[in-house]
């Protein structure tokens, strides 16, 4: 079976959205592909899968910020648009880790580093972050490690 990378998946999804006339899906995927293209131009090289995932994460984070601002401004139309864009983009991201999975991975990283106090948090984060990248929010991971070392 042929395994498709995220970029190919997005390109195929764009074609489907064009055929089906799904405006929101089409616009969202186009924006994601444009962000990927810009990053490739900037680097002057193709991006690997983890870099593609990082760009999609950044796009989702941007939509979440828009969502919060729209809620504060009481703009239901923008809230709905941001929510649907987030849902579309999340289909191309790996499943996020649960809090329990993050705790388990943090425990392993703490044992590997031999950390026992909050002063060693940096060492733990250096080991842990590459393992959770794209599947967990850095601030949540940081908070969990802090609680475990505190």
């Amino acid at each position: 079976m042929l395994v498709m990378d995220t970029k190919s998946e997005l390109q195929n999804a764009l074609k489907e959205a064009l055929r089906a006339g799904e405006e929101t899906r089409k616009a969202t995927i186009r924006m994601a592909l444009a962000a990927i293209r810009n990053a490739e131009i900037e680097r002057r090289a193709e991006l690997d899968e983890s870099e593609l995932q990082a760009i999609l994460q950044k796009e989702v984070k941007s939509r979440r910020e828009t969502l919060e601002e729209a809620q504060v401004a009481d703009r239901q139309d923008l809230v709905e648009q941001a929510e649907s864009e987030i849902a579309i983009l999340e289909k191309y991201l790996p499943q996020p880790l649960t809090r329990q999975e993050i705790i388990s991975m943090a425990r392993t990283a703490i044992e590997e580093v031999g950390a026992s106090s909050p002063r060693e948090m940096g060492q733990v984060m250096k080991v842990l972050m590459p393992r959770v990248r794209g599947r967990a929010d850095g601030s949540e991971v940081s908070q969990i490690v802090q609680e475990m070392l505190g």
Side-chain angles (χ1 to χ4, degrees), residues 88-128:
I88 291 165
L89 291 171
E90 283 181 336
K91 289 178 187 166
Y92 303 97
L93 290 170
Q95 281 297 98
L97 294 168
T98 65
R99 183 170 174 83
Q100 268 323 111
E101 289 171 318
I102 296 169
I103 289 170
S104 169
M105 292 171 85
R107 192 172 293 124
T108 303
I110 289 169
E111 288 168 9
E112 284 174 23
V113 173
S116 59
S117 74
R119 285 191 308 241
E120 297 157 306
M121 185 168 164
Q123 296 169 315
V124 175
M125 293 300 285
K126 194 159 60 172
V127 169
L128 185 56

Side-chain angles (χ1 to χ4, degrees), residues 55-74:
I55 288 173
L56 290 180
Q57 284 284 10
K58 197 168 141 191
E59 291 292 309
V60 168
K61 185 177 181 184
S62 161
R63 301 306 188 294
R64 286 211 169 98
E65 290 166 2
T66 301
L67 178 64
E68 288 172 22
E69 291 167 12
Q71 287 169 332
V72 170
D74 199 27

Side-chain angles (χ1 to χ4, degrees), residues 6 9 15 24 46 49 56-57 73 84 88 113 116 122 128 130 136:
T6 304
E9 275 186 64
K15 289 174 193 165
T24 304
E46 290 273 319
E49 193 61 29
L56 290 180
Q57 284 284 10
S84 62
I88 291 165
V113 173
S116 59
L128 185 56

Side-chain angles (χ1 to χ4, degrees):
M1 186 183 125
L2 178 70
V3 176
M4 266 200 290
D5 68 330
T6 304
K7 188 175 170 184
S8 301
E9 275 186 64
L10 286 167
Q11 289 166 336
N12 288 337
L14 177 61
K15 289 174 193 165
E16 290 170 20
L18 285 167
R19 277 191 219 107
E22 298 171 29
E23 290 304 314
T24 304
R25 189 165 158 226
K26 179 175 68 176
T28 304
I29 294 170
R30 272 197 176 134
M31 280 190 276
L33 285 169
I36 290 167
R37 213 171 0 269
N38 289 340
E40 287 177 339
I41 290 168
E42 203 172 289
R43 276 207 43 217
R44 294 188 171 97
E46 290 273 319
L47 301 178
D48 67 23
E49 193 61 29
S50 68
E51 292 166 319
L52 291 172
Q53 295 295 324
I55 288 173
L56 290 180
Q57 284 284 10
K58 197 168 141 191
E59 291 292 309
V60 168
K61 185 177 181 184
S62 161
R63 301 306 188 294
R64 286 211 169 98
E65 290 166 2
T66 301
L67 178 64
E68 288 172 22
E69 291 167 12
Q71 287 169 332
V72 170
D74 199 27
R75 291 282 311 270
Q76 194 55 37
D77 57 329
L78 296 179
V79 168
E80 289 169 9
Q81 180 180 349
E83 286 173 342
S84 62
E85 289 177 0
I86 289 168
I88 291 165
L89 291 171
E90 283 181 336
K91 289 178 187 166
Y92 303 97
L93 290 170
Q95 281 297 98
L97 294 168
T98 65
R99 183 170 174 83
Q100 268 323 111
E101 289 171 318
I102 296 169
I103 289 170
S104 169
M105 292 171 85
R107 192 172 293 124
T108 303
I110 289 169
E111 288 168 9
E112 284 174 23
V113 173
S116 59
S117 74
R119 285 191 308 241
E120 297 157 306
M121 185 168 164
Q123 296 169 315
V124 175
M125 293 300 285
K126 194 159 60 172
V127 169
L128 185 56
M129 284 312 290
R131 298 177 186 173
V132 301
R133 180 161 290 122
R135 298 187 61 207
D137 182 47
S139 60
E140 183 185 7
V141 174
S142 173
Q143 181 188 358
I144 289 171
V145 171
Q146 220 165 15
E147 288 168 10
M148 292 174 81
L149 290 175

